[in-house]
Amino acid sequence: MSESGFTPRVFSGIQPSGGLTLGNYLGAMKRFVDMQEEGRFETIYCMVDLHAITVWQDPAALARNTRELCAGFIAAGIDPERSILFNQSQVPEHAQLAWIFNCVARMGWMQRMTQWKDKAGKNRENASLGLFAYPALMAADILIYHATHVPVGEDQKQHVELTRDIAAKFNHDYKVEFFPLCEPVIEGAATRVMSLRDGSKKMSKSDPSDMSRINMTDDADTIAKKIRKARTDPDPLPSEIDGLKDRPEARNLINIYAALSDTTPDKVLAEVGGKQFSEFKPMLSDLAVARLAPISAEMARLMADPAEIDRILTRGAERAREIAAPILRRTYDIVGMVGPAT
Ligand code: AQP
């Protein structure tokens, strides 16, 4: 138990809405592995397939991406024995708690979410109701486990803050101290990996341009080609971090290099300051290939046995339900929904 009385517990998820990108890996998955290894927390990681269908997903692709994401988690270092690893739709308590949170969250809160504004774009009338309610489901994902820490990339910070608001309003409305106020954990050199084609846009699995991202399954030649073609400016690299101001593409490549080599951007610049991109890009390609090739090889090996992946997911869901079901039942009791006593 922590000081707050809640078990220190990590929850985070990734959408199986496409192949894993370097952004997902550096901003999220690598951190998930670190938190598993720290040993301070119970760690729960999820393929959030219910979130993925807030925008259209081809059913066969969704199933393939879910298994591939599971393989990615394991290949990156998540141990399905030490962590709980499963896909969201197999644990119905997520959707059940999300309904209650739909009734706690306010329309105004949801309308302020930048991801909603970005993803719905100009054609809001045509966006799904699920896309609007996405943050309430995310709050349920976290709070159905009474998770205390949520490792995410920078883009998800606002949703974790909304989760705290939902927990606080629930606790206040029902006069309980039932849900924890979870902490976002946003750390490392690459909390926001940007598109290789546009330094003002984040790297995203659903970006129409494959050249904008590095996929975890890209081979060495493809990685080298994408980095070679990455947009940059004509100046040499600076020796200090201040020199990256107003140079978003250069900053992005330096941050990626730092995160892949487990160091800081300052230390990278001390080493590469003064170099031209023509010299730095091959260094970055070599590093990316060295780090990613073992992961993609292991993913391919695991993907050869989809039945084993399904067994891992089913077992993970059983373990997740052991935590989620009593928390849902207690929530129902607090709300006044009649059922078996706890
Ligand atoms: N570019 C990024 N840099 C750092 N972290 C990132 N994350 C995503 N992109 C970056 C982090 O990865 C985790 C899982 O994200 P997600 O798949 O649930 O949703 P997302 O943030 O919407 O990611 P994508 O790749 O942009 O997916 P699509 O294209 O389907 O919307 C989160 O912790 C996120 O912060």
Side-chain angles (χ1 to χ4, degrees):
M1 287 276 191
S2 69
E3 274 170 36
S4 63
F6 291 100
T7 302
R9 192 174 278 152
V10 165
F11 174 91
S12 200
I14 299 187
Q15 298 184 74
S17 47
L20 262 179
T21 70
L22 184 66
N24 299 135
Y25 175 65
L26 294 177
M29 203 172 261
K30 195 163 175 291
R31 299 286 306 119
F32 299 172
V33 177
D34 293 343
M35 294 188 94
Q36 171 188 269
E37 296 306 315
E38 272 178 46
R40 270 198 303 140
F41 302 99
E42 284 181 24
T43 43
I44 306 176
Y45 299 122
C46 185
M47 281 120 265
V48 287
D49 46 10
L50 297 175
H51 277 103
I53 62 161
T54 54
V55 297
W56 169 251
Q57 303 294 329
D58 171 75
L62 181 66
R64 187 180 59 249
N65 288 334
T66 302
R67 293 193 179 100
E68 190 178 276
L69 184 52
C70 181
F73 270 104
I74 298 170
I78 296 299
D79 174 351
E81 294 301 319
R82 281 193 290 155
S83 293
I84 298 179
L85 190 60
F86 67 103
N87 58 315
Q88 187 185 24
S89 56
Q90 287 203 67
V91 178
E93 286 80 4
H94 288 240
Q96 291 172 290
L97 184 61
W99 180 258
I100 296 193
F101 287 169
N102 282 344
C103 303
V104 172
R106 306 289 94 180
M107 294 286 285
W109 298 1
M110 310 304 253
Q111 269 156 357
R112 283 193 284 278
M113 293 295 111
T114 53
Q115 181 173 293
W116 155 249
K117 291 187 216 167
D118 290 349
K119 287 202 171 172
K122 292 202 175 68
N123 196 2
R124 284 194 194 173
E125 293 294 310
N126 201 33
S128 74
L129 186 55
L131 189 65
F132 188 65
Y134 182 114
L137 176 59
M138 180 163 157
D141 298 337
I142 295 164
L143 295 173
I144 196 67
Y145 301 103
H146 279 183
T148 54
H149 294 78
V150 187
V152 282
E154 189 67 46
D155 59 312
Q156 291 293 335
K157 184 167 177 235
Q158 194 185 31
H159 287 166
V160 181
E161 284 164 356
L162 185 99
T163 300
R164 291 168 62 96
D165 292 341
I166 290 176
K169 182 163 164 48
F170 181 97
N171 290 346
H172 176 267
D173 289 353
Y174 292 101
K175 300 183 180 49
V176 288
E177 287 301 321
F178 185 61
F179 287 116
L181 302 186
C182 57
E183 296 286 340
V185 182
I186 302 170
E187 288 170 351
T191 55
R192 189 165 169 80
V193 178
M194 308 310 280
S195 157
L196 298 179
R197 308 300 298 166
D198 177 351
S200 68
K201 262 172 63 184
K202 79 163 187 157
M203 184 181 286
S204 185
K205 36 178 133 63
S206 56
D207 191 310
S209 163
D210 193 55
M211 291 299 284
S212 71
R213 64 179 158 261
I214 293 175
N215 304 302
M216 295 303 286
T217 49
D218 283 344
D219 61 25
D221 287 347
T222 309
I223 292 175
K225 181 167 132 208
K226 286 179 176 176
I227 292 177
R228 199 168 56 245
K229 298 214 164 202
R231 191 165 146 192
T232 44
D233 55 46
D235 296 334
L237 283 160
S239 303
E240 286 177 7
I241 211 92
D242 281 354
L244 291 176
K245 216 168 133 265
D246 304 324
R247 296 180 67 186
E249 284 87 11
R251 187 168 60 231
N252 189 36
L253 297 188
I254 292 293
N255 285 347
I256 293 174
Y257 192 98
L260 283 171
S261 48
D262 284 314
T263 182
T264 60
D266 296 274
K267 288 196 179 134
V268 175
L269 288 178
E271 184 193 332
V272 303
K275 286 194 197 300
Q276 297 289 345
F277 282 104
S278 55
E279 219 179 323
F280 175 67
K281 282 179 167 180
M283 288 170 65
L284 178 59
S285 298
D286 289 349
L287 177 64
V289 170
R291 289 283 182 277
L292 303 186
I295 300 178
S296 66
E298 181 62 3
M299 280 172 77
R301 192 188 69 76
L302 292 161
M303 282 298 282
D305 189 357
E308 176 58 15
I309 291 183
D310 291 359
R311 271 192 295 278
I312 290 169
L313 290 175
T314 301
R315 174 75 191 119
E318 284 164 6
R319 290 171 63 205
R321 289 197 82 181
E322 282 168 19
I323 304 174
I327 291 178
L328 182 72
R329 187 58 253 162
R330 276 159 60 208
T331 309
Y332 279 177
D333 290 342
I334 291 167
V335 173
M337 291 173 164
V338 176
T342 47

